[in-house]
Amino acid sequence: MAPFTRFREFWPYYLQEHARAGTRAMHYAGTSMVVLLAVVAPFSGHWWLAAAVPVAGYGFAWLGHMLIEHNRPATFRYPFWSLRADFVMWYRFLTGRMGRDLARAGVRADGTVDPARRLHA
């Protein structure tokens, strides 16, 4: 498969790379910390908190990939789309729409991907 040229092509691949609920939970925790730090830092006067933003975001996500999903984060190949997808995934989780997206991407409830629908980057 050729490299992705549009986000809507990348999104199902991203979801397949986050098939396990634990991996997504690690991403949700990291993204929540990123948002919290970004809101708190300007009002607290502790600007060093801004330096913790990438550590929180990537730290939780990469641990999830290493310990739970056992794959290489999409960040290394698609850094900007992965960042965007992190926030899209977090928002869709908060609004209760992740299940539908996962099903459309071929991600099963048990955290596996339908082999016939597996996308490769």
Side-chain angles (χ1 to χ4, degrees):
M1 175 178 206
F4 300 107
T5 58
R6 297 177 2 199
F7 183 78
R8 71 185 302 176
E9 297 166 351
F10 173 75
W11 178 240
Y13 165 76
Y14 180 86
L15 294 178
Q16 290 177 1
E17 294 296 298
H18 298 79
R20 296 182 178 184
T23 304
R24 292 190 306 274
M26 293 293 285
H27 276 263
Y28 302 148
T31 304
S32 296
M33 289 292 296
V34 163
V35 171
L36 180 66
L37 288 166
V39 169
V40 169
F43 295 106
S44 71
H46 300 290
W47 290 99
W48 60 268
L49 290 173
V53 167
V55 174
Y58 289 117
F60 277 91
W62 291 354
L63 277 173
H65 285 283
M66 182 174 51
L67 301 175
I68 300 166
E69 200 78 38
H70 305 290
N71 63 7
R72 186 173 179 209
T75 304
F76 297 127
R77 256 186 114 176
Y78 299 97
F80 298 111
W81 281 356
S82 291
L83 179 61
R84 177 179 172 187
D86 283 344
F87 283 97
V88 170
M89 185 169 70
W90 182 69
Y91 175 76
R92 301 213 37 100
F93 165 71
L94 291 176
T95 59
R97 293 186 271 176
M98 271 305 298
R100 181 176 59 196
D101 287 4
L102 290 166
R104 285 182 183 160
V107 177
R108 299 173 177 155
D110 66 357
T112 62
V113 177
D114 179 350
R117 299 184 60 198
R118 170 60 82 180
L119 299 171
H120 299 281

